Amino acid sequence: MGFSWVLKGLFKSPTSVLGVCLVLFFSIIALFAPWIAPPEYPDEPYLLPKAGWSAEPSPPSAEHPFGTTEGQYDIFYGIVWGARTAFKVGLITVGFSALIGIVVGSISGYFGGWVDEVIMRVTDIFMAFPFLVAAMVLTTILGKGLDKIMIALITFGWMGYARLIRGSFLAAKEELYVLAAKAIGVSDLSIIFKHILPNTIYPVIIQASMSMGSMVVSASALSFLGIGAPEGYADWGQMISYARNWIVGAPGDALKYWYTFFYPGGAIVLFVLGWNLLGDALRDILDPKLRGPRGAR
Amino acid sequence: MSRLLEVLGLKTYFFMEAGIGKAVDGISFYIDEGEVFGLVGESGCGKSVTALSIMRLIPPPGRIVEGKVIFEGEDLLKKTSEEMRDIRGKKISMIFQEPMVALNPVYTIGFQIAEAIIVHYPDVSWDEAWERAVKMLERVGIPNPRRRAEEYPYQMSGGMRQRAMIAMAMINNPRLLIADEPTTALDVTIQAQILELMDELKREFKTSILFITHDLGVIAEVSDRVGVMYGGKIVEMGDVFSIFDEPLHPYTYGLLSSLPKLNEEGKNRLYAIPGVVPDLLAFPEGCRFRDRCSCAFLKCEDDPPMIEVKEGHWVSCWRYAEDV
């Protein structure tokens, strides 16, 4: 079952095609951000350009295709560069929490006994905190900033992966090929990472792509609450927070400032949807328990 | 011929919540250089645990409690785990009962054999290791070895995989090969081929083999000497001819009688040893076979000694003790 086989599977159902397209779409936007929306301050491209000093948002115009939000920040620019922020936050938090989870979980599952007991109890302690509240407290302690959000999200985001991989290891370490590897003199570390991990990594890949979306939502939530991205930073969560005062519209015209929340909100929804659909598709392809008889390799 | 391996009073117990499982309870045997020693017995009698004890690969809650495993004059049970890792795959290797699951599904056959070289000889280049893997695959009778080396285990049949396992085990030219029921999962024609291959390799590489099986026919075919195991003990041991021609222990006798005979009319029911193997946690005191033995008597409540009835033919049964 190779890479091409996964690709083929991705194009089998319309929902997974949609997922792939959405993720690709955002990747292209993020990748070509400097060309799509050339930065006004090349040294700090994530800083939103301001079109004036008036507080009231102004509707889409030729100069500002998506309009401007509170403080005259350009929405179009924010969406484009916010895509970069979203990928940065998603990839880094998911990448590191998966990495920590994999290392911790495999050691726990492979060695078992008191090692497992200690590691799993520590994991339980981390899981005992409500995710968003814990991340919020930690971000507040660390200070404002996107990197602080990411540290907080990683700190409270690795446990799921650890449990997942530990479970797989508990089953996989009993496999005969593990004993056979031991019998030719392979070391424990090599057995864990070279022999067992490639056989147990798929659930983690699925989980990781699913949580790309939720991690970005959590980061946006923190930004929305004002403890995340610094003022004027291109971040979808922050852009929604700018729309907070304008969501109700004006007397007699509830949707007067629709563009302030529609574009950033839509971007978040589509981004999360894309990753979730992709994750679903990957699960259908990679999880042998869900695979139909036709799918056998 | 000199002694390659000598197991002395080996005891491997499993410490479970329900009690202590004495899977291997004080067995002794030896294997000479170039010799095939067959270990035969029914499921759960401790054959595989014996093999894993020699490799020091007993999984918890199992533990080697007592005994010595002397290999090339040194006690393996006193080695550190690093020293032991160096011995595994280089001086002692093992092949398993289930070739279908003993190879890692995510790596090619060639990769896995080449890895067995690199693990022990880190100086060997990957290309050279690969070349040697291909040569070894050819040696174990895999057609088109260069292409086959690049295939994954699932692309091969059971017989092919067992050949690949043998190639992996033999690649570093070990002194001792432990074969744990290597033919049990294969069909009969393939069995014969694999046995023949092992015999050839034994001659070519001068490897001793510890051959574990429950199949008396296979044992008669391949071994020079045989140990019969029952309930974690060796009850009879001797060269293959004396075991098959004059079995002494009632258990060996019963095993041989329960083989179907080709030259008899089909009227007689096949003989079966009465009773079942006792629970691992509750072996009877004294002779462990006495509950099922037709000739048990009072003395059997004590542990029977190992008695050398003829030169090289040992039996653990009170019937052969002189001073009862």
Side-chain angles (χ1 to χ4, degrees):
Chain A
M1 46 188 204
F3 184 64
S4 62
W5 172 74
V6 174
L7 271 187
K8 222 187 283 167
L10 277 181
F11 289 100
K12 256 179 206 150
S13 81
T15 50
S16 60
V17 172
L18 181 63
V20 172
C21 287
L22 283 170
V23 170
L24 268 180
F25 172 70
F26 281 108
S27 321
I28 289 168
I29 289 182
L31 221 56
F32 294 104
W35 289 274
I36 299 172
E40 210 161 285
Y41 329 101
D43 293 343
E44 288 180 83
Y46 288 101
L47 220 53
L48 294 173
K50 254 167 133 55
W53 301 99
S54 150
E56 197 189 343
S58 52
S61 62
E63 207 181 327
H64 306 290
F66 290 174
T68 59
T69 188
E70 184 181 277
Q72 299 307 315
Y73 291 116
D74 185 63
I75 295 180
F76 179 72
Y77 190 90
I79 298 296
V80 172
W81 285 85
R84 269 201 175 190
T85 311
F87 270 102
K88 211 162 69 177
V89 170
L91 291 176
I92 291 176
T93 50
V94 168
F96 276 95
S97 38
L99 193 71
I100 295 171
I102 285 171
V103 171
V104 168
S106 5
I107 289 171
S108 183
Y110 181 77
F111 290 106
W114 65 267
V115 178
D116 184 35
E117 199 65 34
V118 169
I119 291 180
M120 277 301 123
R121 291 302 76 79
V122 172
T123 310
D124 283 347
I125 291 172
F126 273 89
M127 289 190 103
F129 297 107
F131 175 66
L132 207 56
V133 175
M136 216 148 63
V137 170
L138 191 58
T139 319
T140 319
I141 294 169
L142 291 172
K144 218 173 154 97
L146 212 58
D147 46 342
K148 310 295 191 307
I149 292 193
M150 290 195 272
I151 291 172
L153 290 181
I154 292 166
T155 309
F156 293 99
W158 56 271
M159 296 85 75
Y161 300 101
R163 281 198 166 181
L164 198 64
I165 205 92
R166 170 183 175 268
S168 311
F169 259 70
L170 285 181
K173 74 172 176 185
E174 306 292 335
E175 297 277 349
L176 196 56
Y177 66 79
V178 176
L179 189 63
K182 281 183 190 163
I184 60 167
V186 181
S187 65
D188 281 337
L189 227 58
S190 180
I191 287 179
I192 292 177
F193 293 110
K194 208 163 147 192
H195 286 258
I196 304 184
L197 198 58
N199 282 292
T200 53
I201 195 78
Y202 290 129
V204 173
I205 294 176
I206 296 160
Q207 171 100 350
S209 78
M210 295 268 213
S211 67
M212 274 292 285
S214 60
M215 279 296 188
V216 169
V217 168
S218 306
S220 297
L222 292 177
S223 283
F224 176 76
L225 293 170
I227 52 172
E231 173 75 23
Y233 196 90
D235 177 271
W236 295 342
Q238 170 139 289
M239 301 198 58
I240 291 190
S241 133
Y242 287 143
R244 190 163 20 182
N245 294 330
W246 312 96
I247 286 174
V248 289
D253 186 4
L255 290 177
K256 189 172 178 206
Y257 304 110
W258 61 274
Y259 46 87
T260 54
F261 53 84
F262 177 79
Y263 291 114
I268 293 176
V269 167
L270 291 181
F271 187 85
V272 174
L273 181 69
W275 279 105
N276 279 3
L277 290 178
L278 187 66
D280 267 340
L282 285 179
R283 190 190 52 204
D284 290 348
I285 299 164
L286 297 175
D287 193 337
K289 277 180 232 102
L290 290 170
R291 204 185 296 156
R294 163 193 52 82
R297 307 201 216 259
Chain B
M1 281 204 287
S2 61
R3 287 286 139 88
L4 180 68
L5 177 87
E6 192 160 15
V7 174
L8 292 169
L10 179 74
K11 290 185 179 178
T12 304
Y13 292 175
F14 283 78
F15 297 88
M16 294 170 288
E17 272 174 33
I20 298 174
K22 300 181 176 177
V24 170
D25 200 10
I27 66 167
S28 303
F29 62 93
Y30 65 88
I31 302 177
D32 283 332
E33 274 176 27
E35 186 184 52
V36 180
F37 183 76
L39 207 49
V40 66
E42 49 200 312
S43 307
C45 72
K47 302 174 306 235
S48 295
V49 174
T50 305
L52 291 175
S53 299
I54 295 170
M55 295 291 272
R56 294 242 324 252
L57 285 175
I58 293 290
R63 196 149 48 81
I64 299 170
V65 184
E66 220 182 286
K68 284 181 179 164
V69 178
I70 306 206
F71 177 74
E72 291 185 323
E74 288 174 65
D75 190 354
L76 292 184
L77 302 185
K78 292 209 172 76
K79 299 260 181 205
T80 64
S81 45
E82 279 75 32
E83 289 171 325
M84 210 46 225
R85 198 185 299 145
D86 198 44
I87 288 172
R88 287 183 208 127
K90 191 174 177 183
K91 293 196 161 171
I92 308 179
S93 8
M94 189 162 177
I95 52 179
F96 297 90
Q97 182 175 352
E98 307 276 350
M100 306 308 278
V101 292
L103 289 160
N104 195 327
V106 301
Y107 292 115
T108 60
I109 302 292
F111 179 96
Q112 297 187 50
I113 300 174
E115 191 196 19
I117 301 173
I118 300 287
V119 163
H120 292 289
Y121 303 97
D123 300 338
V124 178
S125 76
W126 183 256
D127 289 339
E128 197 197 326
W130 187 274
E131 274 312 302
R132 280 168 58 188
V134 170
K135 272 206 194 92
M136 196 68 201
L137 283 176
E138 188 172 19
R139 178 64 201 84
V140 297
I142 289 185
N144 211 340
R146 199 159 292 280
R147 212 193 67 220
R148 284 293 189 167
E150 284 170 27
E151 288 187 352
Y152 289 89
Y154 75 87
Q155 291 168 292
M156 296 189 152
S157 67
M160 284 287 178
R161 285 191 218 187
Q162 196 58 291
R163 282 174 195 267
M165 280 301 296
I166 292 173
M168 201 154 107
M170 297 301 290
I171 191 80
N172 290 323
N173 197 356
R175 305 291 311 280
L176 175 67
L177 175 69
I178 299 176
D180 188 0
E181 309 225 15
T183 57
T184 306
L186 305 172
D187 54 43
V188 183
T189 47
I190 309 292
Q191 271 188 20
Q193 292 172 11
I194 294 288
L195 292 178
E196 198 172 313
L197 172 68
M198 288 181 67
D199 195 49
E200 281 172 28
L201 291 175
K202 181 195 91 183
R203 280 171 221 283
E204 196 176 315
F205 293 91
K206 301 192 174 48
T207 307
S208 308
I209 300 178
L210 171 59
F211 200 104
I212 294 171
T213 182
H214 63 257
D215 189 331
L216 289 166
V218 170
I219 279 286
E221 189 74 31
V222 297
S223 9
D224 301 315
R225 287 190 310 117
V226 178
V228 181
M229 270 189 97
Y230 183 81
K233 291 188 186 247
I234 290 186
V235 293
E236 186 168 2
M237 185 163 64
D239 71 82
V240 64
F241 297 107
S242 38
I243 296 276
F244 277 83
D245 293 343
E246 335 156 32
L248 296 176
H249 197 280
Y251 178 62
T252 319
Y253 194 80
L255 276 185
L256 290 169
S257 314
S258 45
L259 285 178
K261 291 177 188 61
L262 287 176
N263 52 3
E264 263 178 26
E265 292 279 320
K267 287 173 201 160
N268 302 334
R269 279 186 68 112
L270 193 61
Y271 173 77
I273 302 174
V276 288
V277 185
D279 182 11
L280 187 64
L281 298 173
F283 283 126
E285 290 287 305
C287 176
R288 291 180 171 184
F289 187 59
R290 76 184 152 93
D291 290 351
R292 303 172 71 186
C293 184
S294 52
C295 20
F297 57 112
L298 208 60
K299 194 73 189 157
C300 294
E301 284 173 22
D302 296 332
D303 262 335
M306 213 44 174
I307 300 159
E308 189 167 22
V309 177
K310 256 175 27 180
E311 202 202 328
H313 191 167
W314 299 73
V315 65
S316 163
C317 181
W318 282 113
R319 284 170 55 192
Y320 302 95
E322 276 161 18
D323 51 348
V324 177

